[in-house]
Amino acid sequence: MDDKLIFEKSSNSRIAYDFAEYEHKYALSDKYQRKEELLFPEVSELDVVRHFTNLSKKNFGVDEGFYPLGSCTMKYNPKINEELAGLRQFNNVHPLQDEKTVQGCLEIYYNTSKLLEEITGMAKFSFAPCAGAHGELTGLMVMKKYFEERGEFNRKKVIVPVSAHGTNPASAAVCGFEIAVCNCVSDGCVDVEMLKGMLDENVAGIMLTNPSTLGIFEKDILTISKLVHKNGSLMYYDGANLNAVLGYVKTIDMGFDIMHINLHKTFSTPHGGGGPGSGPVGVREDLVKYLPNPIVEKKNDKYHFVYSKKSIGKVSTFYGNFNVVIKAYAYILSLGKEHISDVSRLAVLNANYIKESLKDEYILPIDRHCKHEVVFDGIKDHKVSTLDIAKRLLDYGYHPPTIYFPLLFHETLMIEPTENESKETLDGFINVMKKIAHEDIEVLKTAPHTTIVRRLDDVKAARFPKVKYRDLL
Amino acid sequence: MQYKYFPHTEKDIKEMLSVIGVNTIDDLFSDIDDSLKEKDFNLPSSMDEISLRKHIFEIAKKNKELNIFRGAGSYNVYVPSIIKPILERQEFLTSYTPYQAEISQGTLQYIFEYQSYICELTGMDVSNASMYDGASASFESIMMACNHTRKKDVIIADTINPNYLEVIKTYSHFHGYNLKFAKSKDYILDTKDVLAKIDENVACVICQYPNFYGYLEDYDFVAKLKERKILFILIGAPSNYAYIKSPRELGADIACGDCQMMGINMSFGGPYIGYISCVNELLRKLPGRIVGLTEDVDGKRGFVLTLQAREQHIRREKATSNICSNESLMALNVCIYCACMGKKGMYEVSDIRFQNAHILHDELLKHGFKDVNKNEFFNEFVLEYKGDLNKISKQLEKQGYLSGLIIDKNKMLFCATEMNSIEDIKSFAKMFEMKEAL
């Protein structure tokens, strides 16, 4: 197996590009010129293609196998969406062209917002945020702006449940809020009694995802939103788990005022190894004026950018990850009203099927109907760690579930199968999970055995950081 | 319920429900209050693939592709043909963040190579795995500097990209930083004003190189900053640094900006890719993911996400940033571009941009434009015009040109790249003469 860096394949004077001949008529003053030598590879075009093709073989994607990574909604990324987003008329337009010449782009933004408005009940979406955490931050800025406008500068606190994604408290901190952590009761739902005690005149809002990160629907959601609103605070919905209730519950009906959606989770755009994503933020009617500038409106069959004087301002260089939005738009149109609710229904069916099938071998801390994902607390008797199980799954050709999150249990295994997986695929996975439960402990502790590299030394990587090619010379 | 993305047959569903021990799928939603269950979603009917393709083709046709002489943060650049097929490989496209290192060596290695390229170009010691875009990377750099120095005042050159400035203002307002704007004259930073604004509360000075207007500024205040332990942040496009002085050579502590110029389509503004790189002393203040080299249990070389104790999934509200998903696939785009251009091509593409911009500049001077200063520029520059630029811009658009960006009523910011041929440049410049006559 080829395991060299491209820098190690370099040979003097090879090239992988060509430009037409040109004249060096103008020269930059010496004082502005770079002096240090550039250590870049010198390779041929085929060298480049082979290098990356071989690198790709060291990865694992949704297209090749089951990827039940909890909280990440690793659903199928339809090929038609890629084709449509790749159209040259979308790729070759400059973001600062006149509105008249980019009506197609504006229409995509406008139409996608309309669809998301119908799905969630929010009044308008901004596509400026480039990822989920970026959406959280933007939504929290809207929240803060709302209280600033009302002169309620005392509202400096945001409540986050202990089970929340790490981005929630981190986003609140970047937005300049103080964080107050609310506990969960034994079924993973918010401790409403504790919440009551936390609500006071300093609370701006609460960030929740529903179902929670334990995959359990927050049954007291209407009570919670009433309490929060009565306190004059706002409800923020983290759309990370929207797939569980897509086409089943409208976010606004649960009492949420602000939300973000991860288009790269719920709306099938590819994760790309960690982005580009898109984290549109939607708000209720009276908060639309605070959304990032600009938003797109339609007038006399023409699309326009609209700038609000009350807006929080800009949060990205231009208008967000436009190309990703095209893919989500195509996906929603393909689903249509006929299939949208089957997304959540089948995702929930799949998760519950795994839950029932594995609860003899794995510890099920919350034995209730789950939603789109199920959480186990490791293997019965804890004979090996969750890490060992995850690593052993690699030998069987599966991407492991999310491990050690949420933090409520010691050996968390969080499985999210998505609606795209067939019963045969789930049965295959269930059989392997059962088999692992009875395997020799030594085999599990030393897994994986068949991958191109085996367990890697994280401590060494952190103690002596080598983070670029020059560090190896 | 037959639909191409759902594999479930009626028989499957029945069997699965019986294992679960319920009668219908709706029983699995019995914990949801009935009042919350929405019966009717007013969405369009499901579109088959042929209709969907037609629908989106029709929308795409409403865009107009123009012959581009505008930059201002988004550049019409050459995208090598090999980029698209590699980006579309499912192993890269459909994978998640490389948390399971043993089956993510592909992603981890290209991030390591990306970090190497960014460090090489900027001259910095470390880079992270990418940020959303240039604007957010600029604010995150400020946050690094303020955390490191434990100060909250920021001196910011008013010659940086105005969109970046807007984003920095938004973030700073909510986070609680004080921005002090250093003035400029004739589109060049007044470095005396930077010096005048320095006091004990200042965490950093942030400038853009070349500045938003394309000009190369002289940062004669750097020694003073070092003396007072104030950090220097430089915004810029890494590809330019194969040609002009790198941020390290200019004395910067943090280099940030956008890599869009490295083979990424304009795509109406995104996705692009922000970057942050810095000196070793600031390593633990870097936001986001970092890939490091290590060994497996057999002593074989491999890559892992490292120094994760800085990140939100470990440190929560105490993390260096809230960033999680970044722009990983765009980092791969940058890697392929850098490998393709190589040592010689990185210099050459910048030289072509430089030559073409200067040809454009000289041609425009022949057709009614005047310089606004005598400073050297890279591939963008500002010219003054006596006619009505608004009117002319609209005329040019009808002829298929995207002219420079109007930045003042009689001033225009022009840009040339490797995509503008000399013939194009000459005929574009001539258009101004014709319009003037109209």
Side-chain angles (χ1 to χ4, degrees), chain A residues 29 31 37 96 334 470, chain B residues 46 70 120 245 343 376:
Chain A
S29 289
K31 67 168 179 170
E37 197 194 350
L96 301 176
S334 170
R470 258 186 208 267
Chain B
S46 171
R70 186 173 295 185
E120 203 54 39
K245 274 210 164 86
K343 187 177 181 172
E376 290 191 46

Side-chain angles (χ1 to χ4, degrees), chain A residues 24 26 29 31 37 56 59 83 88 96 101 107 118 174 248 273 329 334 338 452 457 470, chain B residues 3 26 42 46 53 55 62 64-65 70 89 95 107 120 125 175 245 294 300 343 351 362 376:
Chain A
H24 293 265
Y26 300 89
S29 289
K31 67 168 179 170
E37 197 194 350
S56 78
N59 259 13
E83 176 192 313
R88 51 171 301 155
L96 301 176
T101 65
E107 185 171 345
E118 180 59 27
V174 174
Y248 213 93
Y329 177 60
S334 170
E338 291 83 356
I452 49 155
D457 189 346
R470 258 186 208 267
Chain B
Y3 175 57
D26 285 321
N42 186 20
S46 171
R53 189 181 273 139
H55 171 72
K62 296 177 190 172
K64 196 168 171 192
E65 286 179 77
R70 186 173 295 185
R89 288 189 67 88
S95 59
T107 299
E120 203 54 39
D125 300 316
H175 195 77
K245 274 210 164 86
T294 188
K300 194 173 168 191
K343 187 177 181 172
D351 192 31
D362 287 3
E376 290 191 46

Side-chain angles (χ1 to χ4, degrees), chain A residues 443-459:
Chain A
V443 172
L444 298 177
K445 284 190 168 166
T446 52
H449 304 276
T450 59
T451 47
I452 49 155
V453 288
R454 296 182 56 215
R455 284 194 205 192
L456 291 148
D457 189 346
D458 290 320
V459 175

Side-chain angles (χ1 to χ4, degrees), chain A residues 89 110 163 204 243 265 301 455 464:
Chain A
Q89 293 96 329
Y110 182 82
S163 59
N243 211 51
K265 293 182 180 176
D301 268 339
R455 284 194 205 192
F464 311 101

Side-chain angles (χ1 to χ4, degrees), chain A residues 8-77:
Chain A
E8 295 162 338
K9 296 173 181 174
S10 181
S11 195
N12 255 347
S13 84
R14 281 195 188 127
I15 57 164
Y17 74 98
D18 52 1
F19 287 123
E21 290 284 318
Y22 68 96
E23 194 188 341
H24 293 265
K25 193 171 159 200
Y26 300 89
L28 187 67
S29 289
D30 185 68
K31 67 168 179 170
Y32 293 122
Q33 287 180 25
R34 180 188 175 106
K35 294 290 181 303
E36 203 186 320
E37 197 194 350
L38 193 66
L39 192 61
F40 260 46
E42 294 174 90
V43 289
S44 74
E45 184 167 316
L46 179 59
D47 289 336
V48 181
V49 171
R50 285 222 173 116
H51 178 71
F52 289 104
T53 304
N54 286 324
L55 270 189
S56 78
K57 291 181 177 168
K58 301 179 180 182
N59 259 13
F60 183 91
V62 172
D63 284 6
E64 68 193 288
F66 191 42
Y67 214 122
L69 195 61
S71 225
C72 302
T73 315
M74 299 302 288
K75 61 171 74 181
Y76 170 59
N77 312 132

